[in-house]
Amino acid sequence: MSIKHIIIIVFIFGFQINAFSQVLISGAIRNDAAYTWFEDEHKDSRRFDDILENKLILRYRGDGWKFYGDGRLYLYYADTRDYKDEYEAKIMRSFIRYNPSIGDFTLGKTYINFGNSGIFNPFEIQKNVILSDLSNDKEGLLAVEFILPVGDLSGIKLYSGTYENEANASSTEERCYAGGASIWTNALNFDAGIVGNRLRENSNIAGIYLKGDVILGVQAAYAFHYNDEIDKPHREANLGFDYSFFDAHLIISSIFYYNQNGAKKIEDYIYSADGYFFAKYYIFSSIKIIYDEFLNFQAGSFSNLIDNSSVIYPSVEYLLADGLSITAAVYFFTGKKNMEFSIDTAGFLSSLLRVEAKF
């Protein structure tokens, strides 16, 4: 994105600040510095990458309505110059939400969530996993959304919107037009719902999900994908568990993911916008130790159950001061050659140092 576009974005946000006298301003600045070691036969045996993220959030609450805006400016550096640009400006979300007595209307660039949010949710519109930031904020789409509460524990969600197309063989549209609905409720300590959604040309999805507690925390989802002719269906599902010990100071979790359209062998690996990663079966596991309000430790792993490769990452996070934290992580890859989590393509070891300040 050009400097002109950045100036336009800053101007728009500045106008919005001046337009309202009681705008709440918050944000963050985060720097991710990564250093990767490759095996000796590579030409570039070491690589340094750096991403500086600047986040500005604006909030305004009026009588029966509110505004929310989230703008980002990214600065990139890489030894191998893999980034298309050295900087990038984005409006992640910018919307108005109106709250009449009948329900909530949202108009603008907003994130549409169906199902259980988190890792391997089959109902995500744009699937992606960032290993260094599993809880990353997801960019919204231009949409109108309506949520109708039905009692205290149930509701209906409807939306229609558009977003830029990713490289996807099932659609040749430059922009995708999406629309869908979800109905949810709560019973017996479980949240459950059904989803129907058109993601893009030749990509439709219907399914169910649930989440609750029965000694263990349990979540599950089942999604049925089909094209416009309904002649090439495939299924996607997950099943996860979590449990906490010692007053939630120790938390373990694991989730299994199945994608019928995923590859059964390494030679068939190909990207698809309708699935996470490449293969048919995966498992994600993590353990988190919350030592105190300042310090926590975590270890996690993604495992491809087709080629038996994994990425394993221990990390530690320390709160230096109110709003200022530092995180260190190390990523180990166990695969070889063309395996998904391969030392030969991702590096023998990668380290990450993150410094984040929130205001």
Side-chain angles (χ1 to χ4, degrees), residues 123-138:
F123 301 111
E124 283 286 358
I125 294 176
Q126 293 179 302
K127 294 182 172 72
N128 67 329
V129 173
I130 300 175
L131 294 177
S132 62
D133 189 8
L134 297 180
S135 59
N136 67 299
D137 296 330
K138 298 183 183 295

Side-chain angles (χ1 to χ4, degrees), residues 38-313:
F38 293 90
E39 291 190 329
D40 292 338
E41 63 264 29
H42 284 75
K43 293 180 180 179
D44 298 317
S45 59
R46 292 170 178 81
R47 167 176 166 164
F48 176 74
D49 299 90
D50 191 87
I51 302 175
L52 178 65
E53 178 188 64
N54 302 271
K55 175 167 65 174
L56 178 65
I57 295 176
L58 307 178
R59 295 182 178 90
Y60 175 82
R61 184 175 293 277
D63 185 13
W65 69 281
K66 71 176 184 179
F67 163 79
Y68 180 89
D70 179 349
R72 309 286 176 97
L73 174 62
Y74 298 91
L75 304 178
Y76 300 118
Y77 172 82
D79 282 341
T80 54
R81 304 296 182 189
D82 283 348
Y83 297 114
K84 182 179 179 181
D85 298 303
E86 294 183 357
Y87 54 83
E88 181 181 17
K90 285 185 179 181
I91 294 181
M92 298 289 285
R93 303 175 193 182
S94 181
F95 60 81
I96 294 171
R97 182 163 292 158
Y98 175 54
N99 312 108
S101 57
I102 61 171
D104 295 337
F105 291 91
T106 302
L107 176 65
K109 190 170 187 179
T110 182
Y111 172 64
I112 304 295
N113 177 59
F114 284 150
N116 301 315
S117 59
I119 299 296
F120 294 143
N121 175 14
F123 301 111
E124 283 286 358
I125 294 176
Q126 293 179 302
K127 294 182 172 72
N128 67 329
V129 173
I130 300 175
L131 294 177
S132 62
D133 189 8
L134 297 180
S135 59
N136 67 299
D137 296 330
K138 298 183 183 295
E139 188 173 355
L141 66 155
L142 294 174
V144 57
E145 178 189 58
F146 174 62
I147 297 177
L148 173 66
V150 180
D152 295 330
L153 302 175
S154 304
I156 300 171
K157 179 189 292 186
L158 306 168
Y159 89 96
S160 178
T162 178
Y163 61 96
E164 290 185 9
N165 192 12
E166 298 180 6
N168 180 30
S170 67
S171 174
T172 58
E173 298 174 307
E174 292 185 2
R175 292 199 64 83
C176 297
Y177 296 90
S182 178
I183 302 173
W184 74 91
T185 190
N186 179 281
L188 303 175
N189 293 323
F190 273 84
D191 294 318
I194 60 175
V195 172
N197 199 9
R198 178 174 176 80
L199 306 178
R200 63 189 75 86
E201 179 187 17
N202 280 315
S203 184
N204 308 285
I205 187 170
I208 59 174
Y209 66 92
L210 61 85
K211 185 174 185 179
D213 290 298
V214 281
I215 303 178
L216 296 172
V218 179
Q219 65 169 297
Y222 173 86
F224 181 80
H225 293 261
Y226 55 97
N227 61 8
D228 294 345
E229 288 74 30
I230 320 181
D231 60 358
K232 295 180 180 178
H234 72 275
R235 295 162 181 81
E236 191 182 10
N238 69 34
L239 177 63
F241 304 94
D242 63 82
Y243 192 75
S244 61
F245 303 85
F246 311 117
D247 296 324
H249 282 273
L250 173 63
I251 303 168
I252 59 173
S253 64
S254 186
I255 185 166
F256 171 78
Y257 171 68
Y258 165 74
N259 179 14
Q260 186 182 20
N261 223 26
K264 297 180 182 179
K265 53 186 179 180
I266 295 174
E267 293 78 11
D268 295 333
Y269 284 174
I270 186 171
Y271 168 78
S272 170
D274 290 329
Y276 294 94
F277 298 125
F278 298 138
K280 187 180 289 289
Y281 306 107
Y282 291 89
I283 190 166
F284 169 74
S285 300
S286 73
I287 179 169
K288 185 173 186 178
I289 300 172
I290 302 175
Y291 183 77
D292 56 27
E293 60 183 313
F294 300 101
L295 179 65
N296 67 71
F297 303 89
Q298 186 170 3
S301 69
F302 280 95
S303 296
N304 178 324
L305 302 183
I306 294 296
D307 64 24
N308 295 316
S309 66
S310 299
V311 53
I312 302 167
Y313 61 95

